[in-house]
Amino acid sequence: MRYLLELSYDGTHYQGWQIQPNGLTVQEVLNNAISVITRQSIETIGCGRTDTGVHARQYFAHFDTEQELPNNFVRSLNGILPYDIAIHDCQLVSSEFNSRFDAISRTYEYQIIFQKDPFLNKYAVRWHCDLNIEAMNQACSAIIGTRDFACFSKVNTDVKHFDCNLMAARWYYRENILIFEVTANRFLRNMVRAMVGTLTQIGEGKINQDKFMEIVESRDRRQAGTSVPAHGLYLVSVEY
């Protein structure tokens, strides 16, 4: 039987979602906790990778087991997991369902603050100058659609192509936090952080929109801006 978990996690203390040889990951902790309850060796398959320090407000993972799960499974699993990983739902799904490949879109948010805040400094990045939101949104509008986003991808990644369908991208304020929200059918490694690092150069007046499009069309990661810190990035929703 195949089950689908909906969860969220604070990525501060993890080397991302996927199991790594050099540090603790969310997947490893989740696999171990489910294995304790089912008394089987369980391997979860996540809806995508998140990098070291990146958070997820909504994340999905599926796993297979030979037994029907008890009604109190979610409560029991939450009791075993550490405080920074929370299970919200568990559903029986088709054996053909795949949490990664059946996703049609994913939405990320990046959070920026402009004033020192002791309650947000681990979950948003402090910016030390004003940003031109209108100019950054104009640049976002120019890249909506399907194109090669190699300029925003980490180099030497194991992908067959760099094409992504960018469905939406915008900057807006939510109270005192500046949010970059972006939706696509798929994301390349480090893509959102590199996009933010480049778009903020427009916001600071360091480059104009023509230069931004030149960077995008170059397909050269060296031309784009520096990747912003991971702790401001959140996976916020996944659509199936």
Side-chain angles (χ1 to χ4, degrees):
M1 290 178 286
R2 179 161 293 182
Y3 286 91
L4 178 66
L5 293 174
E6 180 183 355
L7 62 145
S8 58
Y9 55 84
D10 176 343
T12 302
H13 302 297
Y14 299 99
Q15 302 294 309
W17 159 260
Q18 189 163 321
I19 289 177
Q20 305 288 337
N22 60 344
L24 189 66
T25 66
V26 177
Q27 186 183 31
E28 178 184 351
V29 172
L30 186 59
N31 288 356
N32 292 341
I34 300 173
S35 298
V36 168
I37 296 175
T38 61
R39 298 182 181 179
Q40 300 176 36
S41 179
I42 297 294
E43 181 177 354
T44 55
I45 305 297
C47 61
R49 295 181 178 180
T50 58
D51 292 336
T52 299
V54 174
H55 317 292
R57 289 203 184 99
Q58 184 181 57
Y59 192 93
F60 291 95
H62 76 260
F63 66 95
D64 295 333
T65 177
E66 298 174 358
Q67 59 185 272
E68 184 176 353
L69 298 178
N71 293 331
N72 65 346
F73 175 75
V74 170
R75 185 176 64 182
S76 299
L77 187 55
N78 276 323
I80 294 175
L81 289 169
Y83 73 94
D84 49 9
I85 303 174
I87 307 299
H88 304 296
D89 192 26
C90 180
Q91 294 185 20
L92 184 66
V93 293
S94 164
S95 61
E96 302 300 316
F97 179 85
N98 188 292
S99 60
R100 178 183 177 189
F101 295 117
D102 288 344
I104 58 175
S105 72
R106 298 164 177 83
T107 299
Y108 281 88
E109 285 184 359
Y110 196 85
Q111 297 191 355
I112 289 175
I113 55 176
F114 294 93
Q115 295 182 345
K116 189 175 182 179
D117 189 325
F119 301 105
L120 291 176
N121 62 3
K122 290 183 180 180
Y123 304 103
V125 172
R126 187 181 176 193
W127 219 258
H128 294 278
C129 64
D130 292 335
L131 294 170
N132 185 333
I133 310 303
E134 182 180 356
M136 294 193 297
N137 277 327
Q138 288 176 353
C140 288
S141 297
I143 58 172
I144 298 299
T146 300
R147 64 171 67 239
D148 187 313
F149 285 101
C151 69
F152 297 134
S153 174
K154 192 170 185 178
V155 295
N156 299 323
T157 55
D158 185 20
V159 294
K160 295 180 180 179
H161 65 87
F162 297 92
D163 290 347
C164 302
N165 178 13
L166 197 67
M167 302 170 181
R170 63 172 181 146
W171 292 85
Y172 68 97
Y173 274 98
R174 188 165 61 219
E175 297 180 350
N176 64 331
I177 302 174
L178 179 61
I179 306 292
F180 174 60
E181 180 182 82
V182 58
T183 301
N185 66 324
R186 66 191 287 258
F187 285 90
L188 307 168
R189 288 192 66 187
N190 207 51
M191 178 172 168
V192 179
R193 292 164 60 194
M195 288 181 72
V196 172
T198 309
L199 288 165
T200 49
Q201 288 187 336
I202 292 179
E204 293 177 356
K206 294 179 178 178
I207 62 172
N208 59 24
Q209 186 153 327
D210 288 341
K211 178 61 179 177
F212 176 74
M213 293 308 298
E214 182 182 315
I215 291 169
V216 173
E217 292 165 4
S218 75
R219 303 181 65 250
D220 185 352
R221 178 66 187 91
R222 293 170 297 179
Q223 301 296 318
T226 302
S227 292
V228 289
H231 66 271
L233 183 60
Y234 300 75
L235 175 62
V236 296
S237 67
V238 183
E239 296 293 331
Y240 289 97

